[in-house]
Amino acid sequence: MIVLSRIFWRPSRTNCPFYSTHRTIEWYYGKMKKSQNGGIDMARTITVKGIGKASAKPDYVVLSMTLESNHMDYDKAMDMAASHIQHLNETFAAIGFEKGSVKTTNFNVRTDYDRVKDRNGNYKSVFNGYEVTHNLKLSFDFDMGRLSQALAAIAGCLSHPQLSVAFTVKDATAINEEMLRSATVNAKRKAEILCEASGVTMGDLIAIDYNWGELDIYSHTRYDCCEDAMPMIGCKSIDIEPDDIDVSDTATFVWEIK
């Protein structure tokens, strides 16, 4: 049985041999158990946050592209969008990428308006057509020659997509597991030190609290190229080594103390 309330014990110079004016040790009471006489005893617990860290070398490239079309007529705007994606698919197929390699991550159609001031100084909305935005990505194993080839193909594509390049890992399982193990070791070591310094014994592990959110597993390396230089990318290829991917996360552990 778990009690939601908790009791804080703040050490002082008189009751704690390792008193610090800058730190406060918090003792949590949460696990309840029956005593021999039938009453309720509160088992003392210690709660520690473990910090996990892990690193990995990027082995995967993600090209993110955006195609935009705008026309006063809805059907023509959609036709333009279809033509753009067709040109892009044909461009990548021409350099050896399989059909279906380019994936859609978002597709949006909206009406576009301009704010125009009339002769009386009042602003009004004027219809400016239908705007179609198509976000796509192309992913492949990291290889600078292959990357340069893909960028050169994009530079010559009639669709002229907006582009960004990111470096990541193909399988995030290993780096996630390494980080979780690191957080566990870190929390356990902290708990052992606190218990030893406090003159108590660390008991059984009672609970683990972890937020299974999605981690940002990308290298901080940026690979940028201005639009004017895009046509020249295919002429020269610079061999770069993306920075390692560093991830960090926390987990909270609760141990019984005796």
Side-chain angles (χ1 to χ4, degrees), residues 10-258:
R10 300 186 180 277
S12 66
R13 290 185 175 85
T14 58
N15 62 19
C16 182
F18 49 90
Y19 175 83
S20 169
T21 56
H22 301 289
R23 295 182 181 273
T24 299
I25 305 297
E26 296 180 345
W27 297 89
Y28 294 76
Y29 293 76
K31 183 182 177 187
M32 295 181 65
K33 62 181 181 181
K34 287 187 177 180
S35 63
Q36 293 181 353
N37 60 12
I40 298 295
D41 290 338
M42 298 295 293
R44 295 180 302 173
T45 61
I46 182 171
T47 301
V48 179
K49 180 179 289 185
I51 302 173
K53 297 179 181 181
S55 298
K57 287 187 175 297
D59 61 6
Y60 212 53
V61 181
V62 179
L63 300 183
S64 298
M65 297 161 285
T66 301
L67 298 172
E68 293 182 344
S69 308
N70 185 284
H71 200 280
M72 296 296 290
D73 181 78
Y74 175 81
D75 290 334
K76 289 184 178 179
M78 294 299 291
D79 288 342
M80 289 174 63
S83 177
H84 284 165
I85 185 60
Q86 180 181 349
H87 284 310
L88 191 63
N89 284 327
E90 291 173 351
T91 296
F92 286 122
I95 59 173
F97 284 97
E98 295 181 359
K99 183 180 180 180
S101 295
V102 179
K103 308 293 185 182
T104 295
T105 58
N106 184 58
F107 187 84
N108 180 57
V109 182
R110 70 178 187 89
T111 52
D112 185 34
Y113 291 88
D114 285 335
R115 296 286 290 171
V116 179
K117 184 186 292 187
D118 60 21
R119 65 178 64 184
N120 298 319
N122 299 316
Y123 284 92
K124 63 179 181 178
S125 296
V126 178
F127 180 63
N128 194 39
Y130 295 93
E131 188 173 278
V132 182
T133 303
H134 197 171
N135 301 110
L136 310 108
K137 72 173 182 179
L138 174 67
S139 306
F140 52 91
D141 292 336
F142 174 64
D143 177 84
M144 277 309 302
R146 190 69 164 146
L147 175 58
S148 296
Q149 187 182 30
L151 293 178
I154 293 172
C157 180
L158 296 175
S159 300
H160 303 297
Q162 300 174 30
L163 173 71
S164 66
V165 183
F167 303 95
T168 183
V169 289
K170 191 172 186 177
D171 184 5
T173 302
I175 191 170
N176 274 325
E177 290 180 352
E178 181 184 347
M179 182 203 60
L180 290 174
R181 289 191 180 95
S182 173
T184 303
V185 172
N186 178 260
K188 188 175 182 181
R189 183 56 183 154
K190 287 178 180 177
E192 289 172 344
I193 293 173
L194 289 170
C195 288
E196 181 184 351
S198 305
V200 296
T201 303
M202 190 167 72
D204 295 333
L205 178 64
I206 297 174
I208 302 174
D209 183 19
Y210 179 65
N211 179 19
W212 294 94
E214 216 172 296
L215 295 175
D216 185 24
I217 307 180
Y218 286 93
S219 170
H220 291 299
T221 298
R222 296 183 58 186
Y223 191 102
D224 297 327
C225 186
C226 65
E227 292 184 8
D228 293 339
M230 283 291 287
M232 302 302 295
I233 290 178
C235 301
K236 295 291 182 180
S237 174
I238 299 177
D239 192 16
I240 68 169
E241 185 70 27
D243 194 14
D244 287 354
I245 298 169
D246 297 315
V247 294
S248 178
D249 207 354
T250 62
T252 302
F253 298 76
V254 182
W255 279 277
E256 184 180 7
I257 53 176
K258 303 175 182 178

